[in-house]
Amino acid sequence: MNKPTALPVNPQGTPLKGVRGQMLSFKDDPFLRAEQECYDYYTDGLIVMQDGHILDVGDYDQTIKNYPQLKDIDVYKDAIIMPGFIDCHVHYVQSPMIGSFGDTLLNWLNQYTFPTESKFKDKAFADEVAHEFFKQLLEQGTTTANVFATTFETSVDAFFEESERYDTRMISGKVLQDRNLPDSLKDSSAEESILLAEKLLKKWHHRGRQLYAIIPRFAPTSTPEQLRLAGELYQRYIDQGVYMHTHLDEVQSEIDWVTQLFPDQPNYTEVYRHFGLVDKRSIMAHCCIVREEEWQTLHQCDCGVAHCPSSNLFLGDGEFKYWEAKEQSRPVRVGMGTDVGGGTNFSIPRQLNEAYKVAMLHMRNLDAVKSFYLATRGGAEALHLENTIGSLAPGYEADLAVVDLKPSEFAAWRMKFTGDIFEKLFVIMTLGLNTINMATYVAGRKVYDRNRDRKYMYAADIDAAQQPHAPQESTTDPKTSQK
Ligand code: GUN
Ligand code: ZN
């Protein structure tokens, strides 16, 4: 990294920051248009960032001429700079039970998930888990996630407080669940649960980069009354950008249970729609076993869907069929989700690895263009944030991942036998390494750098370190000091 001797300033007085290297960014959906029209690729590009946003992107030689005052440029070789990855469905509260052995969804929930989530009433425990979760996300180059907390206020506050420290754009909220789960996790009543959700929504939605989601866990764990009140709350706030996030059509045993519980509805999607929960900012996780009329509803209502292949394989759920979701006559917005702790790792590129294999089981493939679109802009589209994050273009928020194209000695050797960048990226995602991300930028700050002494740094610590002669105080919790 080039260290400036003095802070360079632009005419408005705020410092510029540059990132230089090979770059890839998507601007359209390669499932629906010719692939070569869907991305911008620079062999030697420059991103100019200011105040958390991208000011300019282009070929280095051309772009640098317009910024003679720009001296602070991080240069990456043997790497490719992309928008930060987007995880459209993950449970931060399940981080302590990732990799739990041996059961299908409904038993697994009872055996591992509910007991673990019950512990989040304790704020100190919630803080510890949130802290570790963000480290995992940032290490893997994920800069935005759509996240389940759990029943308790403490679980929501711990999550958003940690997100604020990094200045990440995150979506989360209290989980609504008032039946068919242990008392230790159950909402005391439908009315109380909605009052608490609204209180948290008012506290966190649009506070800095934080966004709120109304989260009925899934239809079986909410009474009809809770779903009705959740739908009312969603409809009251939808025009302020509030989300609805839930699970849908994951596994046959779950679908059968929903049929028993809601016999008047013709399918699972209609259960949610009946209560006003299917709308333009509704995000549905899984969607492995979906009827044609449900895809049509998801399309008409402009919902987003999270494809979570590592979780679907681990829990033996079923397979997401992207060719159904992306049917040209009624395409649906799709992004990737890790679904930790059903998912077995925090890496979005490793989800792409599993997505390819799931598609191959059905004699379909998934190339690197479509895959990395899903990991970035596809996720932003699923979350209706495609004008804010997920692409490298002027005006977008400056969230970046820097993918190492030689993440191991063997990978470096294997690269000798590859051709263009998409061939390289396909090999990288297929090797499935946990070490492919070199650095992560959030709102223009390098919050993760695997080669730095302090790998993870909060926004305030980075700002303090950049002030000339400022004392280097840390806002990091010393108990869990980050290295
Ligand atoms: N359906 C309801 N709750 C859950 C959960 O925690 N994980 C998964 N994978 N599916 C669910
Ligand atoms: Zn889930």
Side-chain angles (χ1 to χ4, degrees):
M1 174 173 153
N2 301 327
K3 277 251 168 199
T5 45
L7 280 178
V9 281
N10 76 338
Q12 284 84 45
T14 48
L16 298 180
K17 167 92 188 165
V19 180
R20 178 180 179 183
Q22 203 172 179
M23 282 168 197
L24 176 66
S25 170
F26 290 89
K27 53 192 176 191
D28 215 329
D29 183 343
F31 290 93
L32 304 179
R33 318 222 183 294
E35 286 195 340
Q36 60 278 13
E37 293 166 15
C38 293
Y39 60 84
D40 292 316
Y41 168 63
Y42 304 96
T43 50
D44 181 14
L46 176 68
I47 302 173
V48 184
M49 307 186 291
Q50 184 184 41
D51 293 334
H53 287 77
I54 294 174
L55 196 61
D56 207 348
V57 185
D59 286 315
Y60 176 83
D61 286 345
Q62 285 305 313
T63 310
I64 192 67
K65 289 182 193 154
N66 299 325
Y67 301 93
Q69 75 277 41
L70 172 58
K71 299 285 184 275
D72 181 9
I73 304 176
D74 296 350
V75 181
Y76 293 97
K77 293 206 164 54
D78 295 325
I80 181 150
I81 300 154
M82 289 192 216
F85 299 124
I86 297 174
D87 188 339
C88 292
H89 177 68
V90 57
H91 303 246
Y92 97 84
V93 291
Q94 294 178 14
S95 307
M97 46 140 303
I98 188 172
S100 293
F101 171 75
D103 231 322
T104 49
L105 176 67
L106 301 177
N107 296 329
W108 175 87
L109 288 173
N110 283 315
Q111 194 176 343
Y112 303 110
T113 312
F114 295 152
T116 301
E117 292 193 18
S118 298
K119 296 187 198 168
F120 282 76
K121 211 169 186 164
D122 174 2
K123 178 66 164 37
F125 182 70
D127 286 341
E128 180 190 334
V129 177
H131 186 71
E132 189 57 38
F133 175 80
F134 272 87
K135 285 168 65 183
Q136 293 306 315
L137 247 54
L138 296 170
E139 184 169 332
Q140 298 303 328
T142 297
T143 49
T144 288
N146 186 33
V147 181
F148 266 54
T150 188
T151 314
F152 316 110
E153 183 170 4
T154 38
S155 71
V156 177
D157 284 342
F159 178 82
F160 280 131
E161 284 164 14
E162 188 70 355
S163 182
E164 275 197 327
R165 291 184 193 108
Y166 285 111
D167 200 18
T168 34
R169 184 167 281 294
M170 290 284 160
I171 307 168
S172 190
K174 174 199 150 31
V175 175
L176 301 166
Q177 37 194 1
D178 68 345
R179 68 165 165 175
N180 290 325
L181 74 172
D183 286 347
S184 55
L185 199 58
K186 208 184 279 175
D187 286 312
S188 50
S189 74
E191 291 74 20
E192 299 262 321
S193 71
I194 299 299
L195 286 174
L196 179 53
E198 186 168 12
K199 174 183 156 191
L200 289 165
L201 182 162
K202 286 182 175 160
K203 177 171 179 184
W204 288 109
H205 190 57
H206 286 313
R207 177 162 143 178
R209 300 184 77 195
Q210 314 314 315
L211 297 169
Y212 196 82
I214 294 158
I215 311 180
R217 178 178 210 110
F218 67 158
T221 44
S222 285
T223 56
E225 179 62 359
Q226 189 176 48
L227 292 175
R228 187 181 72 74
L229 293 172
E232 265 181 31
L233 185 66
Y234 181 39
Q235 293 302 328
R236 259 191 286 140
Y237 285 96
I238 193 167
D239 289 335
Q240 294 178 35
V242 162
Y243 291 88
M244 197 291 295
H245 183 190
T246 193
H247 296 92
L248 174 67
D249 286 334
E250 180 175 357
V251 62
Q252 193 58 50
S253 52
E254 167 213 23
I255 296 170
D256 294 343
W257 196 15
V258 171
T259 307
Q260 273 176 28
L261 291 169
F262 300 92
D264 296 340
Q265 298 306 325
N267 59 55
Y268 196 165
T269 304
E270 283 303 313
V271 173
Y272 292 133
R273 183 151 74 166
H274 176 76
F275 293 109
L277 292 163
V278 179
D279 213 321
K280 63 188 170 199
R281 257 182 288 276
S282 303
I283 316 297
M284 309 295 192
H286 302 297
C287 295
C288 296
I289 307 165
V290 185
R291 298 189 195 168
E292 175 54 29
E293 57 270 29
E294 296 183 272
W295 283 125
Q296 284 177 16
T297 303
L298 296 173
H299 165 78
Q300 280 157 13
C301 298
D302 214 6
C303 300
V305 163
H307 177 15
C308 309
S310 112
S311 174
N312 297 155
L313 293 168
F314 185 69
L315 295 172
D317 291 334
E319 300 101 50
F320 178 83
K321 297 159 192 83
Y322 75 76
W323 51 97
E324 290 184 1
K326 290 295 184 183
E327 163 63 42
Q328 291 273 345
S329 62
R330 44 130 196 82
V332 172
R333 295 166 182 257
V334 179
M336 301 304 299
T338 60
D339 192 32
V340 163
T344 53
N345 63 75
F346 293 87
S347 158
I348 289 295
R350 289 181 69 191
Q351 305 307 309
L352 302 175
N353 168 352
E354 307 289 12
Y356 175 83
K357 295 171 195 166
V358 164
M360 287 298 276
L361 285 174
H362 291 263
M363 313 296 280
R364 308 271 177 155
N365 60 30
L366 200 48
D367 65 18
V369 175
K370 293 188 177 72
S371 297
F372 281 91
Y373 156 80
L374 286 174
T376 56
R377 188 177 172 92
E381 288 178 358
L383 301 176
H384 286 259
L385 290 173
E386 68 271 22
N387 296 319
T388 307
I389 56 168
S391 294
L392 307 177
Y396 278 72
E397 294 176 348
D399 297 340
L400 315 176
V402 183
V403 171
D404 190 350
L405 292 172
K406 296 184 173 173
S408 72
E409 242 179 73
F410 173 75
W413 180 80
R414 171 67 178 87
M415 283 301 149
K416 291 199 298 185
F417 310 105
T418 54
D420 71 6
I421 185 62
F422 291 109
E423 206 179 313
K424 290 184 189 348
L425 281 172
F426 188 76
V427 171
I428 290 291
M429 82 188 214
T430 300
L431 289 179
L433 302 171
N434 228 18
T435 51
I436 70 165
N437 186 54
M438 303 171 79
T440 306
Y441 294 77
V442 165
R445 300 180 187 92
K446 189 159 47 167
V447 294
Y448 171 76
D449 180 344
R450 72 176 183 200
N451 296 320
R452 191 169 57 194
D453 270 358
R454 288 170 68 196
K455 286 185 181 164
Y456 311 89
M457 284 179 76
Y458 289 141
D461 290 340
I462 295 170
D463 292 349
Q466 279 172 353
Q467 294 301 319
H469 317 303
Q472 306 254 318
E473 262 179 30
S474 172
T475 53
T476 306
D477 178 0
K479 223 176 33 193
T480 46
S481 134
Q482 305 173 335
K483 257 265 163 171

